[in-house]
Amino acid sequence: MEETYLLNVEGVKKKILHGGQGELPKLQDGSKFTFHFQTLKDDFERTVIDDSREAGMPMEIIVGKMFKLEIWETLLSSMRIGEVAEFWCDAIHTGMYALVSRGMRRIAEGRDPLEGQKHRCGMGNMFDYHSTGYEDLDELQRTPQPLIFIMELFRVEDPSAYKRDTWAMSKEEKLAAVPVLHSEGNRLVLRREFAQAAAKYQEAVICLRNLQAKEKPWEDGWLKLESLVTPLVLNYCQCQLELGEYYEVLEHTTELLQKHNDNAKAYFKRAKAHAAVWNEREAREDFQRVAHLDPSMAAAVKKELKQLGERMRKKHVEDRKRYQGLFQSGQGL
């Protein structure tokens, strides 16, 4: 189709390149668009800035979740499934594109899209940066200009039709998801499916951390959320102990103890991880802290220390034999 027409939005033109199927999708808050896109400059060469096909992944956005480039929701809402359309958008709609593109490029490169950002709104972050890290995006940031978006809409899913990513949930949805995920994790532990259980605990922690980011540290709201985070982190660490991921346990228990240095269970799990990787001194120190903080765990600590001593003696014997063998072998040459 060659017909070009204006959407009922100032500064936007649309040209349908390939017609879609059926009626316009019925959208609701939380509906998900999946689509491919190209972004081009409005110059003689129609210079390509981004192409999701080259990046190897389609784009997804959620209706009503304040995607930084708000105009995209408007453009996609005008499309049918299977439609390919070209949109010309004036600079009044494209000022945030450099920031959005920067995040998408980082994801495609396997990097954290939020790396280095301050905890501020998107526009505030844009003024903080002297450079996006990409020369062409720096130009767009310095000089906002009209852009052309070519979009192909694959599907539109209702909120109930797909698993909601944590970031797409409302505050109420996140709070409601936490006890469900905690319960599912506990059920999987009973079945000794530790990797799956760890994933459930981790997802619940992410929900709570996202909510905590909007609270002032150590104030009531933050502390209430932290009280929910702590047992989930400990459960996650127990799963990682079972899976032999000892350095993962060391990382998370140490982070927890930096905030809560009186948590005996965190010291106990960290001590077991230290013992597993032959950090004898650190393991003994942590076990002793456990016995001091929680006398009811003294028997468990005594048992662990006995096992640690036996393992270390056995290791020393094996090491001596190994070194003697190497020395004798070297003399025989």
Side-chain angles (χ1 to χ4, degrees), residues 39-100:
T39 303
L40 303 89
K41 286 186 177 181
D42 184 22
D43 57 13
F44 181 78
E45 296 84 5
R46 288 169 61 96
T47 304
V48 176
I49 300 171
D50 290 306
D51 188 331
S52 61
R53 284 188 172 81
E54 287 189 4
M57 64 176 74
M59 184 69 182
E60 296 177 348
I61 66 172
I62 309 295
V63 173
K65 294 304 176 184
M66 298 180 69
F67 182 65
K68 290 185 178 71
L69 200 65
E70 294 179 10
I71 193 62
W72 273 15
E73 187 175 314
T74 302
L75 305 183
L76 291 162
S77 299
S78 77
M79 299 178 69
R80 293 173 169 79
I81 305 299
E83 180 179 321
V84 181
E86 177 178 308
F87 300 92
W88 177 92
C89 294
D90 190 73
I92 60 173
H93 299 297
T94 63
M96 293 296 292
Y97 184 77
L99 190 63
V100 171

Side-chain angles (χ1 to χ4, degrees), residues 8-137:
N8 189 26
V9 180
E10 181 184 357
V12 176
K13 297 177 184 178
K14 176 180 178 181
K15 179 191 294 185
I16 297 176
L17 305 180
H18 178 77
Q21 302 171 355
E23 302 296 322
L24 288 174
K26 294 181 180 179
L27 303 174
Q28 55 182 300
D29 191 48
S31 294
K32 181 167 75 172
F33 292 111
T34 303
F35 60 100
H36 268 307
F37 74 94
Q38 262 192 333
T39 303
L40 303 89
K41 286 186 177 181
D42 184 22
D43 57 13
F44 181 78
E45 296 84 5
R46 288 169 61 96
T47 304
V48 176
I49 300 171
D50 290 306
D51 188 331
S52 61
R53 284 188 172 81
E54 287 189 4
M57 64 176 74
M59 184 69 182
E60 296 177 348
I61 66 172
I62 309 295
V63 173
K65 294 304 176 184
M66 298 180 69
F67 182 65
K68 290 185 178 71
L69 200 65
E70 294 179 10
I71 193 62
W72 273 15
E73 187 175 314
T74 302
L75 305 183
L76 291 162
S77 299
S78 77
M79 299 178 69
R80 293 173 169 79
I81 305 299
E83 180 179 321
V84 181
E86 177 178 308
F87 300 92
W88 177 92
C89 294
D90 190 73
I92 60 173
H93 299 297
T94 63
M96 293 296 292
Y97 184 77
L99 190 63
V100 171
S101 176
R102 175 185 185 273
M104 292 187 294
R105 291 183 188 187
R106 282 178 169 270
I107 291 171
E109 294 165 3
R111 300 162 66 191
D112 181 357
L114 301 178
E115 180 185 326
Q117 284 195 20
K118 299 179 181 178
H119 186 66
R120 293 177 55 184
C121 68
M123 188 62 75
N125 275 314
M126 179 164 275
F127 286 118
D128 280 335
Y129 291 123
H130 296 293
S131 173
T132 62
Y134 303 93
E135 187 176 342
D136 58 338
L137 298 183

Side-chain angles (χ1 to χ4, degrees), residues 166 174-175 178 203-213 225 228-229 232:
T166 298
K174 288 173 185 173
L175 286 172
V178 168
E203 188 174 351
V205 168
I206 290 170
C207 285
L208 293 169
R209 292 297 190 208
N210 287 344
L211 294 173
Q212 267 191 319
L225 293 167
L228 299 174
V229 167
L232 288 163

